[in-house]
C-alpha cells in the first residue's frame, strides 16, 4: 500500500528540483551552491568583511576563507583593505559578478512568475499567504531547535 503524499513530500520534491536546476544552471562553472550563497549575500548586504560573511552564512571563518579564495580566483569577488581595520579585508563583487547576480535576480523573477502562473489567479493570494505561513513556521521550528541545542551544549560544557 502506498503512503499518501504529504505536504513535506512535496516541499522536499520542490527543494530537490531547485537544487537540480541550480546544478544545471551552473554546470561547467566554478559556482557551487555554497559559493552562490556568498554571492547572494554580497548582492543583498553589499561589501563585507569575511567575519561578517561567515556570521551571516553561519559557517566557520576557515570555511568562508576557502569560499572567498575560490570566488576570488574565479573573478567573482575582490578583496580590498577594510577601512579602519588593517587586519581585515573587505570582500565585494566584481563588476562582472554584480551583472551576473542581477541577471540571476531577473531570472528568479521570471521563474517566480512562471511558477505562480500554475496557480489559478483566484487562488494566488491564498497560495502566497500559505507559502509565507509555512516558511514562517519552519523558520520558528528551526530556530527553536537550534536554541535548544545551544542550551543543551551550554549545559554540558559547565
Amino acid at each position: 500500500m502506498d503512503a499518501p503524499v504529504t505536504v513535506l513530500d512535496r516541499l522536499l520534491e520542490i527543494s530537490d528540483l531547485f537544487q537540480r536546476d541550480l546544478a544545471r544552471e551552473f554546470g561547467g562553472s566554478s559556482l557551487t551552491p555554497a559559493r552562490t550563497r556568498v554571492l547572494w549575500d554580497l548582492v543583498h548586504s553589499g561589501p563585507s568583511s569575511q567575519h561578517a560573511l561567515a556570521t551571516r552564512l553561519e559557517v566557520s571563518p576557515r570555511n568562508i576563507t576557502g569560499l572567498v579564495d575560490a570566488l576570488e580566483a574565479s573573478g567573482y569577488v575582490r578583496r580590498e583593505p577594510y577601512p579602519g581595520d588593517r587586519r581585515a579585508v573587505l570582500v565585494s563583487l566584481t563588476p562582472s559578478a554584480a551583472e551576473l547576480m542581477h541577471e540571476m535576480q531577473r531570472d528568479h523573477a521570471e521563474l517566480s512568475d512562471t511558477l505562480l502562473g500554475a496557480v489559478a489567479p483566484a487562488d494566488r493570494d491564498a497560495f502566497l499567504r500559505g507559502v509565507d505561513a509555512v516558511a514562517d513556521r519552519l523558520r520558528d521550528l528551526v530556530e527553536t531547535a537550534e536554541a535548544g541545542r545551544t542550551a543543551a551544549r551550554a549545559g554540558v560544557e559547565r
Side-chain angles (χ1 to χ4, degrees), residues 68-79:
V68 172
D69 285 348
L71 288 167
E72 184 178 41
S74 299
Y76 291 103
V77 301
R78 66 176 172 260
R79 288 178 169 119

Side-chain angles (χ1 to χ4, degrees), residues 9-137:
D9 292 328
R10 285 294 188 209
L11 291 172
L12 291 171
E13 179 184 9
I14 290 167
S15 176
D16 180 60
L17 289 168
F18 278 127
Q19 292 302 317
R20 287 173 43 197
D21 187 52
L22 185 66
R24 178 197 51 76
E25 184 71 27
F26 294 123
S29 80
S30 63
L31 289 178
T32 63
R35 292 174 189 171
T36 304
R37 280 186 68 213
V38 173
L39 297 178
W40 274 115
D41 184 88
L42 290 170
V43 162
H44 294 288
S45 299
S48 180
S49 70
Q50 287 187 185
H51 176 74
L53 273 171
T55 300
R56 285 194 304 271
L57 297 176
E58 298 179 338
V59 299
S60 69
R62 183 176 186 167
N63 188 282
I64 202 68
T65 298
L67 290 168
V68 172
D69 285 348
L71 288 167
E72 184 178 41
S74 299
Y76 291 103
V77 301
R78 66 176 172 260
R79 288 178 169 119
E80 300 169 317
Y82 195 91
D85 185 351
R86 63 182 188 194
R87 296 169 298 159
V89 295
L90 188 66
V91 180
S92 59
L93 295 174
T94 61
S96 61
E99 179 56 35
L100 172 68
M101 298 312 293
H102 290 298
E103 288 174 23
M104 285 178 64
Q105 288 174 313
R106 284 191 298 271
D107 291 347
H108 282 193
E110 289 175 16
L111 181 56
S112 290
D113 290 344
T114 298
L115 294 174
L116 197 54
V119 178
D123 296 335
R124 288 182 188 162
D125 286 342
F127 172 76
L128 292 171
R129 282 192 309 274
V131 168
D132 285 344
V134 168
D136 290 345
R137 175 64 57 90

Side-chain angles (χ1 to χ4, degrees), residues 58 135-151:
E58 298 179 338
D136 290 345
R137 175 64 57 90
L138 183 56
R139 188 177 306 104
D140 288 346
L141 291 170
V142 168
E143 288 172 0
T144 299
E146 288 173 347
R149 271 188 235 116
T150 300

